[in-house]
Amino acid sequence: MDSKSYTPGNRDILYKKIFLSISEIKYLEREIKKFSWLERTLLRKKEFSTMQYHKNKCDSNFFRFINSGQDNQNTLIHILEQLPENHPDRTWLTGFLL
């Protein structure tokens, strides 16, 4: 690893990217859950499909970002280590990554 990966500024940027990605994914999950069965299948099917497509795209972008470099993986591991074991974000993120 190069020395720039340990600079505080670089670490802050990685934290921001990770937290923004997680926030967007969680937001889309909450919005998707608001659709009723009838809306999903008949009334708002196109809107639901669009939102689901966008969430899948966010998921794959997040995985691609995390897997694009060891620094990104180390930052994510560091974030997970800082969260208490019963913290909802830790539970969610661990479940998302498994």
Side-chain angles (χ1 to χ4, degrees), residues 54-94:
H54 186 60
K55 184 192 174 297
N56 291 339
K57 191 174 172 183
C58 288
D59 290 353
S60 64
N61 287 343
F62 182 68
F63 277 124
R64 193 175 307 119
F65 171 70
I66 292 301
N67 292 322
S68 68
Q70 190 65 43
D71 292 344
N72 300 352
Q73 292 172 10
N74 290 341
T75 302
L76 182 61
I77 290 167
H78 186 257
I79 290 169
L80 281 169
E81 288 172 346
Q82 300 305 310
L83 294 170
E85 281 202 34
N86 59 351
H87 193 281
D89 284 347
R90 181 178 182 148
T91 305
W92 177 87
L93 190 55
T94 303

Side-chain angles (χ1 to χ4, degrees), residues 39-55:
E39 289 173 326
R40 290 177 187 208
T41 54
L42 300 171
L43 302 176
R44 297 169 63 195
K45 185 176 182 177
K46 185 174 180 172
E47 184 181 346
F48 174 75
S49 298
T50 302
M51 194 170 288
Q52 208 166 26
Y53 170 78
H54 186 60
K55 184 192 174 297

Side-chain angles (χ1 to χ4, degrees), residues 2 9 21 26 38 55 76 87-88:
D2 53 26
S21 296
K26 288 176 80 174
L38 190 59
K55 184 192 174 297
L76 182 61
H87 193 281

